[in-house]
Amino acid sequence: MSTESKSMEKLVEELRAARAHIREGGGPARLEKQKKDGKLTARERVATLVDEGSFEEIGLFARHRQVEFGMLGKEVPADGVVTGAASIDGRLVHLASQDFTVLGGSAGEVHSLKVAEVMEMSLHTGSPFVFINDSGGARVQEGIDSLSGYGKVFFTNVSLSGAVPQISLICGPCAGGAAYSPALTDFIIMTRKAQMFITGPQVIKQVTGEQISADALGGADSHMGNSGVLHFVAEDDQEALYLCRRLLSFLPSNNLEDPPRIEAPNNVDPNPELNTIVPVEPKQAYDVRKVVAAVVDQGDFLEVQAGYAMNMVVGFARILGRPVGIVANQPQVLSGAIDINASTKGSRFIRFCNAFNIPLVTFVDVPGFLPGVQQEYGGIIRHGAKLLFAYSATTVPKIQVILRKSYGGAHLAMGSKDLGADRVFAWPTAEVAVMGAEGAVEIVFRKEMDQAEDKAAKRAELIQQYKATFSSPFASAGRRLVDDIIEPADTRRHLAQALEYLSTKREQRPPKKHGLIPL
């Protein structure tokens, strides 16, 4: 029957049937298996993530063009990926969700072109891009066309970088070249049912003889604790989608906007708890996250990479409703010393905040860079320089709060006045010096101690002398390296006021393509 002889009612009926068929993905049996495996389907993930009724699908009827290796006439609904636009908390986003029920979510040419196209829409509209990964990898039947599709996605990832936020959710397998797209995005959220690796356990066994399970190689705990690839671990799809929404709530839609400020109680009353959290004894450990929680709105702190390089704490919070990026040394781990991994973790976070106009608040309690042969061989000089570069290149408002120790090059690397901090506040416990007084007197006053009758008493006297001369916050304030010495309980008030006064900060840098961070 020709199209002309069909009624509009019949045509609409056929259209609805076609749409319903494609939305079934790999069919009822495969959809049911996906659920039995404890995972949401591709479309359920989209529906859970976005505002109800807001999703506009793009490319529902897209079809592959392959004819080799059994692909001639083979139906691949939506080519295995759901793409489109929607809103999250009323703000526009673009997204892609791979459908594992369709050829294992494998990425063919059209599959990847759909993803790249919606990414470009994200860039053109200045809206975040979210990619939900659940794929067995490249569609082998499509050969080089599949590989080319991957390349277009990677290129577009880089085009979006620094212009709009990019978030990847790993909710199933993500193997081979497919892993590089998430790696090019700003944040990766991974469920405990997912694995991500370049070469799987079987290939590794064949090539190196090493035996390891898929989860031990590329599971969430492995990537959080070992590789540092991940930013958040979720128990399941629902938590991953919740984390994505929560993360987006702190971020602007693009690099030309300020982060979204929400209504919040205008409460900056003193918090007496802050006067007791940090021990006066410089070698006594404490959890710096308690300081953060006592300063930010309602103690709400979204920590990023919480299980990686735990001697450095980074994450998002709000002060009087204004989003801020938090960077802090963690005295509970390695006494807060900065090592290679902490340098990279902190630097990447600082650069993200700068790209998206998020002010930085840095809490300092650092004895120095971590000493050790392996740290030196591993390039602590090169990696530590990333922190110096990141803070120096940053033009957003930068506020430093020196809680206790701030020694040596690490003092500079934690966003000091000399690296462009707009405000530096110090607690009465702050010590700013080249090194701790105990080590300094061994170098500076060695002769005096050798000549003293009571060496222990002389050493104690000289330590106090050194602290009073160089380590005291009053000495730093006298040299204008500290703007004010504040009572800990008043920290929130000082931060809120400084953020308000710095909200119109504009800083121009010399024109150039980009700086050359020591990667």
Side-chain angles (χ1 to χ4, degrees):
M1 182 183 290
S2 67
T3 302
E4 289 78 3
S5 63
K6 291 183 180 180
S7 67
M8 178 60 75
E9 183 179 355
K10 182 63 175 177
L11 290 172
V12 170
E13 182 182 327
E14 289 177 356
L15 172 61
R16 288 173 178 171
R19 296 175 72 91
H21 175 69
I22 293 174
R23 284 172 175 163
E24 283 190 335
R30 289 196 175 116
L31 291 173
E32 184 61 29
K33 185 180 186 306
Q34 180 92 344
K35 293 181 180 181
K36 283 184 177 179
D37 290 339
K39 301 194 295 182
L40 298 176
T41 67
R43 295 179 185 278
E44 285 175 338
R45 287 166 178 157
V46 172
T48 303
L49 176 63
V50 306
D51 297 341
E52 185 175 358
S54 69
F55 181 58
E56 177 195 31
E57 186 162 356
I58 300 169
L60 175 68
F61 296 101
R63 301 180 66 178
H64 69 85
R65 61 174 183 163
Q66 299 302 313
V67 297
E68 306 292 342
F69 303 106
M71 292 296 289
L72 179 62
K74 188 176 185 65
E75 184 184 25
V76 186
D79 212 60
V81 64
V82 180
T83 55
S87 65
I88 295 178
D89 293 331
R91 296 195 297 158
L92 176 65
V93 298
H94 285 80
L95 64 160
S97 179
Q98 292 180 316
D99 190 346
F100 192 76
T101 71
V102 177
L103 294 183
S106 58
E109 176 196 26
V110 172
H111 178 117
S112 292
L113 289 176
K114 283 181 64 177
V115 174
E117 181 181 34
V118 80
M119 291 169 73
E120 289 171 352
M121 293 177 187
S122 174
L123 184 60
H124 295 159
T125 58
S127 55
F129 174 68
V130 178
F131 193 178
I132 305 173
N133 292 256
D134 189 359
S135 168
R139 192 174 298 165
V140 179
Q141 299 95 319
E142 298 195 20
I144 196 169
D145 290 330
S146 174
L147 186 64
S148 175
Y150 269 150
K152 288 181 173 61
V153 171
F154 299 160
F155 184 87
T156 315
N157 278 131
V158 177
S159 296
L160 268 60
S161 182
V164 296
Q166 300 180 79
I167 302 175
S168 295
L169 281 71
I170 315 299
C171 297
C174 184
Y180 282 118
S181 178
L184 289 168
T185 61
D186 300 310
F187 297 100
I188 301 177
I189 303 169
M190 187 173 182
T191 72
R192 294 196 180 277
K193 293 185 179 294
Q195 292 93 34
M196 180 168 53
F197 37 67
I198 299 300
T199 52
Q202 291 182 340
V203 175
I204 288 177
K205 183 179 179 181
Q206 291 173 355
V207 175
T208 70
E210 298 170 287
Q211 296 190 39
I212 189 169
S213 70
D215 196 56
L217 176 66
D221 288 336
S222 175
H223 279 307
M224 176 58 79
N226 298 320
S227 72
V229 168
L230 292 190
H231 298 87
F232 303 96
V233 175
E235 292 299 321
D236 52 27
D237 287 2
Q238 287 88 347
E239 185 180 6
L241 297 164
Y242 163 76
L243 283 170
C244 181
R245 289 184 69 109
R246 187 178 176 206
L247 175 59
L248 284 169
S249 75
F250 289 97
L251 311 181
S253 292
N254 56 67
N255 66 323
L256 300 180
E257 295 182 3
D258 288 330
R261 187 173 185 179
I262 65 173
E263 290 187 13
N266 190 26
N267 177 20
V268 290
D269 293 339
N271 184 349
E273 180 187 359
L274 284 165
N275 285 344
T276 59
I277 290 177
V278 176
V280 175
E281 168 52 50
K283 293 183 179 180
Q284 190 173 337
Y286 64 94
D287 188 348
V288 76
R289 291 171 298 187
K290 292 182 178 180
V291 176
V292 175
V295 166
V296 303
D297 293 355
Q298 300 175 328
D300 182 25
F301 176 50
L302 179 60
E303 188 172 357
V304 176
Q305 289 187 298
Y308 180 72
M310 292 184 287
N311 45 324
M312 181 79 76
V313 172
V314 301
F316 297 103
R318 293 184 179 87
I319 296 178
L320 297 190
R322 176 182 279 117
V324 295
I326 301 291
V327 181
N329 307 114
Q330 176 57 288
Q332 276 191 334
V333 181
L334 299 177
S335 299
I338 302 172
D339 64 353
I340 289 170
N341 291 341
S343 299
T344 301
K345 173 181 174 178
S347 301
R348 176 170 178 172
F349 181 78
I350 291 163
R351 286 168 66 80
F352 174 85
C353 290
N354 189 54
F356 291 102
N357 310 312
I358 301 172
L360 285 161
V361 177
T362 304
F363 294 97
V364 184
D365 191 345
V366 62
F369 285 97
L370 185 68
V373 174
Q374 292 308 311
Q375 286 291 307
E376 295 293 342
Y377 284 0
I380 185 64
I381 296 173
R382 172 168 51 91
H383 293 287
K386 293 177 184 177
L387 272 177
L388 295 165
F389 190 104
Y391 270 119
S392 298
T394 296
T395 58
V396 295
K398 295 178 283 190
I399 304 172
Q400 184 190 54
V401 182
I402 305 174
L403 305 178
R404 208 167 53 172
K405 304 178 299 297
S406 191
Y407 295 160
H411 160 71
L412 299 174
M414 289 301 294
S416 65
K417 176 73 79 171
D418 296 295
L419 265 57
D422 299 291
R423 298 286 192 278
V424 177
F425 300 115
W427 285 11
T429 44
E431 296 182 17
V432 181
V434 174
M435 63 175 65
E438 291 80 359
V441 297
E442 299 291 343
I443 298 172
V444 179
F445 300 114
R446 180 177 299 173
K447 183 177 180 180
E448 287 88 336
M449 286 192 294
D450 288 342
Q451 294 175 349
E453 292 184 7
D454 188 340
K455 291 182 172 56
K458 187 64 175 177
R459 183 173 184 273
E461 175 192 334
L462 293 171
I463 286 173
Q464 290 305 314
Q465 180 183 335
Y466 185 89
K467 284 183 176 180
T469 305
F470 295 108
S471 302
S472 163
F474 294 97
S476 301
R479 287 166 172 79
R480 296 185 301 111
L481 298 177
V482 167
D483 293 310
D484 195 7
I485 304 168
I486 63 173
E487 183 180 338
D490 290 328
T491 302
R492 176 175 164 84
R493 177 174 63 83
H494 285 282
L495 290 176
Q497 189 173 59
L499 287 166
E500 181 64 31
Y501 293 163
L502 291 167
S503 62
T504 56
K505 176 190 175 185
R506 296 293 182 268
E507 184 176 340
Q508 299 297 321
R509 295 297 177 93
K512 53 186 174 182
K513 283 188 176 180
H514 53 75
L516 300 173
I517 189 170
L519 296 174

